[in-house]
Amino acid sequence: MAGRDATHDPALRSWVASAQAPGIDFPIQNLPLGVFGTDGGAARCGVAIGDAILDLRAAHAAGLVATPAAAADTLGPLMREGRGASAALRAAVSALLRDGAPPRPELLVPMAAVRMHLPTTVRNFSDFMASYDHCARLGVRRDPKNPLPPAFRHLPVAYHSRASSVRVSGEDVVRPHGQWQRQDGSVHFGPTEAMDYELEMAVWIAGENALGEPVTMAAAPDRIFGYGLLNDWSVRDVQRWEMPPLGPFLGKSVSTSVSPWIVTAEALAPFETAAPVQDPPALPYLDSAWNRSNGALSVRMTAAIVTPRMRAEGTAPFILTDTQFAAMYWTAATMVAHHATNGCNLLAGDLLGSGTVSGPEETARACLAEIGLTGPVTLPNGETRKWIQDGDEIVFRARAEAPGAVPIGFGECRGMLLPAIAWPA
């Protein structure tokens, strides 16, 4: 599991001048990993630093980075090598980029000149429901006396979602067709009328365990390669109709957007904080002293909207959600440990969604289904939204902050909703 080291030193500076810019997401204390390509160039791994990307393939060819997996065209090989390899790579890159090291500007590529790819092929995708406030708010409509699922306080509830429809930030989402029941009892098929976002944290898995071999809470933190942002696009009318009794299906598989940069677990060590107190206490297999003291992460997360009118008028995105990841009832380590309790073989490159990161504050409602409980949201220009409309763009951002640490960001996760295609004749 991660711990603070010299790469977290707040006094560290980089010879890349933009890494010192106020409010920058990618100072030298961050060094997130991603996969990028330039026009006519092959995809390759890189590290974000300021407003540039360190080309890891070029750095490896120059003998400046020893980790062979850094020269791959995906982060998959590095994920398979486990946390020791990613920690060693972080230390090497930090030494290469810090002020006082010989500048190597030929290894940098301007971030504005690249196209980002998925960090790796998503081998499996499981989505959790770990926010007490999200479950309680929406559960009241189902059963006011028992709003939480029966197992919620005892284990991190989850379902297996669709890996093939995970897309990198910036790719558009097409409004889907589906079937649902309207309020008058009629069953309808057509373009959804209730498209929603869910602000989630992405958890990327490192290493592998054999089928039948559980992952304990002691081992779970070292299976977390890093974190990103995840938009679990949700088709609410279809979802409500199809869920009983097996859970989400077409209401969730339409698309899932993830941010291109993975902030490594090593980078987030200064932002570890105590997990929320659980009542009743978690069973021993989901409990550890480390998880109680360090299992949560202090990360502020926001979701914003840009409508076509706002875009035309040059208006800044309007923040719909402002929430804190540390408030989640279940931590990422408990998600990993519970997932493999039955010996499920978690693979390098597997993706876990944290579930909607809603907090207790009204401003921390992390999807329109929650926001809409008090009526449609009114935007500063007078527009209203109950659900996402065609041409709307949803933008997620996040920033890890803690006393004595340099804040680090996650970049963006964004996607625009396009109109439904005409149904084939």
Side-chain angles (χ1 to χ4, degrees), residues 53-67:
I53 299 173
L54 175 71
D55 186 333
L56 285 175
R57 181 173 295 172
H60 182 263
L64 299 172
V65 170
T67 309

Side-chain angles (χ1 to χ4, degrees), residues 61-81:
L64 299 172
V65 170
T67 309
D73 58 2
T74 171
L75 290 174
L78 185 63
M79 291 173 165
R80 281 192 291 277
E81 290 192 15

